[in-house]
Structures are given as C-alpha cells and as structure tokens.
Amino acid sequence: MKVYLDNAATTAMDDRVIDAMLPFMRNHYGNPSSVHSFGREVRTAIERSRKKVAELLNVTPAEIFFTSGGTEADNTAIVCGIESHGITHAITSPLEHHAVLHTLEMCEKKGHIKLSILDVNEKGELDINQLEELLKANPKSLVSLMHANNEIGNLNDLNRIGSLAKEYGAFFHSDTVQTMGHYVHDLKSLPVDSIVAGGHKFHGPKGSGFLYVKKDKKIHPLIHGGAQERNMRGGTENVIGIIGIAKALEIAYEDMAEHQVHVEAIKKHFIQSLTQEIPGVEFNGLSGDLDKSLYTVLSVSLPPSEANSGMLLFNLDLEGVSASGGSACSSGATVGSHVLRAINHTPERDAVRFSFSRFNTIEEVDYTVGKLKELYAVEA
Ligand SMILES: Cc1ncc(COP(=O)(O)O)c(C=O)c1O
C-alpha cells in the first residue's frame, strides 16, 4: 500500500483543475499582452480567473495579483509593504515559514527595519500582550503572523491580531498559504492588509500563487519589467498556473464544508488510534486540539526509540507511508526544524508531520498506525 500523508508539503492535482488548464497548453497559447485575438482570448481568461478569486475572497479584482507561489507573494508583501509605507519596525514570530522569516531578516540586515520576534510558549502560542506592547512602542510597524503553522498546525486568531494592528496603525500581513482553500476567508470583514496563497497546497498547480493587497494599502512591485499585473509584477504571466489556481480555489470553496468534515474525521481517528496504540505518544504544538489547529495537519512526537531514532521517516517510507519530518536538533547534515526548536521539542523524540487531504481515507490511517505500532513493537 502507498499512502501519501504529506499534503502540507504539496497536494495531488484535482483532475478538474488539469482539465481546465489543458486547453491553455494545447490551443490558447497567445501572449496575454498581445492585442490580436490569440492574445485577447488568453487575457480574458486571466481576468476571469482574477474575478473568480476576488469573488471567493469577497474583494475586488484590482486587489488580486498572481505570483509564482506563496514565497514570492510573501516577499512582495513584506519587502514592498515596508518600503511603500515607510515602515521602520516589524514584528513576527519564530514559528513563521522561512518565506517570511528570511525575508524579514534580510530587511533587517539591510538596515531597513528593526525586527522583533514574539515569545511563544511550549505549545507555540503567541504572547499577544507582548505584541500590543511592541505596537505601542513602535508606531511605524509591520506585523507578519501566519494564519496556520505549516509544521504544528497552530491557528492564529487573525481577527484579534488584525484588530490590534489596526488600532496602532500597523500594516498587517498574514501568510495564509496553509489555510487558503481550507477555510473561508472573507476579506471584507477580516482585518488584514495582505494575504497570500500557493495553488499547490489545495490541489492546484505548483508554481502558482497570488497576493491580495488591500486597496488603500497599495504597494510597489517586487519584480520590475513589463506592465503585467497592472504594473505590479513584470513578466509574461504563468497562464496555465493562473487558470489552475483559480479553478482549484473554486472547487475548494464549492465543497469546503464536506471536505472539512471528511478530513477532520481522519485527523480525529488518527489521534485516537495513535493514543491507543503507541504508549507515550504526544502531539506537538496545538495540533492535537481539533479546535485550535489546522484540520489538515497532525504533528506527532514519538517516544525515544533506539530502533527508530533518526530513521523513523525512512522506516515509514519503506512501508509505503510518505510523511515529513522534523527534528529539533541542529547538528550534522540536517539543520532540523526551527519551529520544533522554538517550542523546545526534545531532540530525543522523533517528530513526524502527517498532513491530510480530501483524497485520504480512514483505511490509510489504520494502515499507517499499524505500521507505526510494528516499528515501535521492535523496541519492546
Ligand atoms: C506557511 C507557508 N508559507 C509559505 C510557503 C511557500 O509557498 P510556495 O511553496 O507556494 O512558495 C509554504 C509552503 O510550504 C508554507 O507552508
């Protein structure tokens, strides 16, 4: 049996997405900037995709910019948000994705900002009082805090953080890569200035993404060149990626409630079975709490084991189960996970992130737990 439980890394493409993209590989190959009919038909399809994304997020098409993925969108929001709004200070957390952390560190190194990193407890919960104190003390701030963590699944309260940012006049960017397509984002009511998406996290194509920037928080482009994306991103558009991400988001919204019920049942069953079968198992961050974590992610901390130490992912892979790892250690060739280090996960325990999609089944979970039980029985 082959079981794919690494959906936070990337997902399988939906056949309907592939079907929507194919005509733009085979027939509609015009450059959308060309004024002839070949170009115009592709331009129309791009704008239709933008309109679809904007409708789903309850914003205007002029606030959506297509990018090469979440990383580029995060870079654009942060680097250009800072430059365009005279920002001198930024606040983030040690649990952010490197697309955010490394970008902010680069801005600090260049002397553009002073960077403050919030404290987190061993569950990965942010210190919101500290956030308020920092906002109070630094009037020209950018806050960059993700919606859900990609490794431990912790959900942040965007309403609360965004309201605080608004109260103190800060620019609020949120990396929503892991929640786009999994939750409804109603940006009319959500107090965010910019958010991002990567199509491959919700059954769309890799190398596709978008950035939303609120109308009254306009920023300048990161990539200079032609006038594409209303002068916000030079370069001939990734037409098939744009068609694909919009279709994937449309499908995600159509069946979201049903998919959520299905995936939550899988996660719940996984938690119950692991707790029953593997003595000493723990869940990292808030991922064991269904109300406080992303329903697609379960980060498991396994008891110290000589037979599996450092080999668990490899052993699982041999049994046909694909998941992704994490270790808190920072020695040797593997750098380890900065997220697990930040929540003081002990390096003696193996950490595995299992992440789910609507294509997974309860049978796959039972198979995986059975294999884990076997691997840990060797120990006993
Ligand atoms: C939270 C988060 N932000 C950003 C990214 C980067 O997105 P992309 O792969 O589309 O560049 C990822 C991908 O793993 C992610 O999980």
Side-chain angles (χ1 to χ4, degrees):
M1 192 168 188
K2 272 188 79 86
V3 181
Y4 184 75
L5 295 177
D6 201 12
N7 291 280
T10 199
T11 55
M13 278 180 68
D14 189 297
D15 280 341
R16 291 167 289 178
V17 173
I18 297 172
D19 289 343
M21 291 165 71
L22 278 174
F24 292 86
M25 291 186 234
R26 288 221 173 88
N27 309 317
H28 310 303
Y29 52 81
N31 186 321
S33 296
S34 300
V35 292
H36 49 62
S37 65
F38 280 80
R40 284 199 314 272
E41 65 181 8
V42 178
R43 160 74 42 225
T44 304
I46 289 181
E47 294 315 319
R48 210 179 296 128
S49 295
R50 193 186 318 279
K51 190 159 173 268
K52 175 53 69 188
V53 170
E55 270 168 18
L56 294 171
L57 303 185
N58 203 7
V59 295
T60 63
E63 295 170 298
I64 301 294
F65 306 97
F66 290 112
T67 66
S68 65
T71 301
E72 184 194 319
D74 276 330
N75 271 260
T76 307
I78 291 169
V79 172
C80 305
I82 287 170
E83 288 174 0
S84 304
H85 293 281
I87 283 159
T88 53
H89 174 252
I91 307 167
T92 191
S93 108
L95 309 179
E96 292 291 309
H97 191 274
H98 283 149
V100 165
L101 272 181
H102 288 171
T103 306
L104 283 167
E105 284 162 9
M106 182 273 295
C107 291
E108 186 182 43
K109 222 178 261 165
K110 284 189 168 175
H112 298 170
I113 51 155
K114 183 178 163 299
L115 182 59
S116 298
I117 311 266
L118 293 177
D119 296 330
V120 296
N121 63 18
E122 77 286 352
K123 282 280 169 200
E125 290 166 302
L126 306 176
D127 186 340
I128 298 292
N129 293 330
Q130 187 192 13
L131 171 63
E132 182 160 13
E133 290 308 313
L134 285 165
L135 284 168
K136 237 184 243 175
N138 299 280
K140 283 271 173 203
S141 286
L142 172 136
V143 176
S144 186
L145 292 169
M146 67 206 320
H147 190 194
N149 184 273
N150 49 301
E151 292 194 41
I152 54 176
N154 286 24
L155 279 167
N156 286 328
D157 183 346
L158 295 191
N159 266 307
R160 187 160 172 222
I161 296 167
S163 303
L164 265 183
K166 209 169 178 181
E167 190 182 331
Y168 291 96
F171 188 107
F172 179 34
H173 170 67
S174 184
D175 178 343
T176 49
V177 165
Q178 288 293 341
T179 56
M180 186 61 63
H182 301 313
Y183 296 92
V184 171
H185 291 91
D186 181 354
L187 301 183
K188 268 280 172 314
S189 55
L190 199 66
V192 291
D193 294 316
S194 56
I195 65 164
V196 300
H200 70 117
K201 307 292 189 186
F202 49 95
H203 308 290
K206 292 165 187 62
S208 69
F210 62 79
L211 165 67
Y212 154 80
V213 184
K214 203 181 171 87
K215 236 191 319 282
D216 60 0
K217 292 288 171 87
K218 275 202 174 66
I219 62 174
H220 61 242
L222 181 73
I223 296 173
H224 300 270
Q228 290 91 351
E229 294 297 300
R230 273 167 277 103
N231 282 312
M232 264 294 287
R233 183 182 189 263
T236 301
E237 296 88 338
N238 172 11
V239 178
I240 50 174
I242 291 171
I243 302 294
I245 193 172
K247 185 70 186 174
L249 197 64
E250 185 182 0
I251 295 168
Y253 268 73
E254 262 166 27
D255 303 327
M256 196 177 282
E258 189 192 318
H259 292 157
Q260 182 164 354
V261 168
H262 175 78
V263 177
E264 265 177 4
I266 284 176
K267 177 167 168 175
K268 198 169 168 189
H269 183 69
F270 209 151
I271 293 172
Q272 282 168 349
S273 306
L274 279 174
T275 309
Q276 213 170 308
E277 302 294 346
I278 315 273
V281 75
E282 289 170 6
F283 302 103
N284 296 313
L286 299 172
S287 74
D289 185 335
L290 286 165
D291 294 327
K292 293 185 178 166
S293 66
L294 182 58
Y295 58 87
T296 54
V297 168
L298 182 63
S299 177
V300 180
S301 170
L302 290 144
S305 143
E306 230 165 79
N308 293 295
S309 179
M311 295 295 286
L312 184 57
L313 278 183
F314 180 72
N315 291 340
L316 277 173
D317 193 29
L318 285 179
E319 300 292 353
V321 178
S322 300
S324 76
S327 86
C329 77
S330 58
S331 59
T334 56
V335 176
S337 153
H338 67 282
V339 172
L340 294 177
R341 268 202 309 280
I343 60 169
N344 290 326
H345 183 264
T346 151
E348 286 73 45
R349 296 176 69 97
D350 270 303
V352 187
R353 177 189 69 182
F354 296 101
S355 48
F356 319 108
S357 85
R358 56 186 152 92
F359 296 139
N360 288 121
T361 62
I362 294 282
E363 289 69 39
E364 290 177 330
V365 169
D366 287 340
Y367 176 83
T368 304
V369 174
K371 289 299 168 194
L372 276 169
K373 198 177 166 188
E374 279 170 31
L375 289 169
Y376 277 82
V378 173
E379 197 73 13

